[in-house]
């Protein structure tokens, strides 16, 4: 195994996108190996690379890491995006889990039956406005960062989540001025600004092609 950081996943957002965001924010260069055929997944299985037969898989520092949250925790810990002490870390985890819950709802839209889509969209909009965004607006009331006085993974996840939300509901932040200002500050950070440029490793929302590939690679799940 070389010293490079290598991501194994689909050429789409899914569970890997927050990992890409965190690595990009930390200024870590990485390579991506995309699963496009069933054989790619079988090879990872046969090589014993997937502890639970699941991706995301990230090769980093001589390890083969799986489980999205373990991967995010490792990157955050290594690159100083995890607060200054255990108490800050607990708060960062709480905010992070909230953003991940919200992003999970959005991810699930891609596999929703067409007749359920509108209902799921309304649910996401309502939860975003009434449950999630008010928490972050309050968290940013007196500080540029959600936790303490430095950037953490919670801030990075919040930026990703709010950009995903705006793709679905363009005006959703209009009643959340602190989050709007936060977004502008975050987008101006050089590494994040670079990640937001076309041609970066950032992925587009899921489309039919991606879903076709997922079904082919995970044929065992779609029998
Ligand atoms: O968060 C995690 O990494 C794990 N708790 C779940 C990972 C997971 O569900 N991976 C899926 C593909 S990404 N989609 O949501 C997976 O590899 N499924 C293959 C299977 O046989 O379950």
């Amino acid at each position: 195994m070389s010293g490079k950081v290598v991501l194994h996943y689909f050429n789409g957002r899914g569970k890997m996108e927050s990992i890409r965001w965190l690595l990009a924010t930390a200024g870590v260069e990485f390579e991506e190996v995309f699963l496009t055929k069933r054989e790619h997944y079988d090879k990872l299985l046969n090589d014993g690379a997937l502890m639970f037969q699941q991706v995301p898989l990230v090769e980093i520092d001589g390890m083969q890491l799986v489980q999205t949250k373990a991967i995010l925790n490792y990157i955050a810990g290594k690159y100083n995006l995890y607060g200054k002490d255990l108490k800050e870390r607990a708060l960062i985890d709480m905010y992070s889990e909230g953003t991940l819950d919200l992003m999970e709802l959005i991810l699930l839209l891609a596999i929703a039956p067409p007749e359920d889509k509108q209902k799921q969209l309304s649910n996401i909009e309502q939860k975003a406005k009434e449950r999630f965004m008010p928490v972050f607006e309050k968290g940013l009331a007196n500080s540029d960062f959600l936790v303490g006085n430095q950037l953490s993974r919670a801030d990075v996840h919040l930026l990703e989540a709010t950009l995903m939300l705006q793709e679905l509901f363009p005006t959703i932040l209009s009643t959340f001025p602190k989050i709007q200002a936060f977004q502008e500050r975050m987008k101006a950070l050089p590494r994040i600004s670079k990640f937001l440029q076309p041609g970066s490793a950032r992925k587009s929302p899921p489309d039919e092609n991606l879903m076709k590939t997922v079904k082919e690679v995970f044929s065992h799940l779609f029998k």
Side-chain angles (χ1 to χ4, degrees):
M1 205 180 294
S2 69
K4 285 178 305 195
V5 175
V6 185
L7 277 46
H8 299 262
Y9 198 68
F10 298 98
N11 185 7
R13 289 182 181 172
K15 290 181 180 293
M16 191 63 102
E17 192 68 353
S18 298
I19 296 170
R20 298 184 184 106
W21 267 96
L22 218 50
L23 287 170
T25 304
V28 179
E29 296 204 356
F30 55 87
E31 288 180 9
E32 299 204 69
V33 179
F34 296 128
L35 299 181
T36 59
K37 298 250 175 296
R38 174 81 200 180
E39 297 90 270
H40 298 154
Y41 175 61
D42 284 337
K43 173 143 190 359
L44 291 174
L45 289 177
N46 291 334
D47 290 349
L50 305 180
M51 185 184 276
F52 298 109
Q53 299 159 34
Q54 295 167 321
V55 288
L57 164 68
V58 174
E59 293 178 54
I60 184 168
D61 297 338
M63 298 182 288
Q64 293 182 316
L65 295 186
V66 294
Q67 289 291 1
T68 311
K69 287 173 189 174
I71 298 166
L72 292 170
N73 294 346
Y74 182 78
I75 297 165
K78 180 168 179 186
Y79 294 101
N80 197 26
L81 293 165
Y82 225 164
K84 67 169 166 41
D85 56 30
L86 269 179
K87 286 190 174 173
E88 281 198 0
R89 185 174 161 162
L91 207 49
I92 290 166
D93 282 337
M94 286 162 58
Y95 282 125
S96 296
E97 290 300 319
T99 61
L100 295 174
D101 284 351
L102 176 59
M103 287 193 273
E104 173 96 14
L105 291 179
I106 298 176
L107 284 181
L108 290 174
L109 269 181
I111 53 166
E115 65 273 20
D116 285 357
K117 222 156 219 167
Q118 197 47 52
K119 199 170 145 215
Q120 290 196 19
L121 267 173
S122 305
N123 177 45
I124 293 168
E125 185 174 20
Q126 189 197 350
K127 285 222 172 84
K129 278 188 184 157
E130 294 173 14
R131 178 181 298 189
F132 292 104
M133 292 306 120
V135 172
F136 300 119
E137 183 74 5
K138 198 170 159 208
L140 292 165
N142 300 311
S143 169
D144 282 359
F145 307 102
L146 279 172
V147 179
N149 54 10
Q150 61 178 3
L151 185 72
S152 78
R153 58 176 289 206
D155 299 308
V156 183
H157 298 329
L158 177 59
L159 178 62
E160 182 191 357
T162 55
L163 292 174
M164 281 172 84
L165 267 181
Q166 284 174 308
E167 288 172 350
L168 299 173
F169 316 105
T171 61
I172 193 152
L173 296 184
S174 59
T175 51
F176 300 102
K178 296 284 181 189
I179 300 176
Q180 283 179 50
F182 162 85
Q183 261 200 345
E184 293 315 309
R185 283 194 305 275
M186 290 289 285
K187 286 201 255 179
L189 296 177
R191 288 168 180 163
I192 288 181
S193 162
K194 198 169 152 205
F195 191 59
L196 290 169
Q197 300 296 316
S200 82
R202 187 174 176 228
K203 303 296 180 267
S204 307
D207 61 13
E208 278 179 20
N209 275 338
L210 176 67
M211 297 322 293
K212 197 170 155 250
T213 306
V214 172
K215 284 181 182 161
E216 189 191 325
V217 172
F218 289 151
S219 49
H220 60 289
L221 298 176
F222 295 92
K223 273 179 188 150

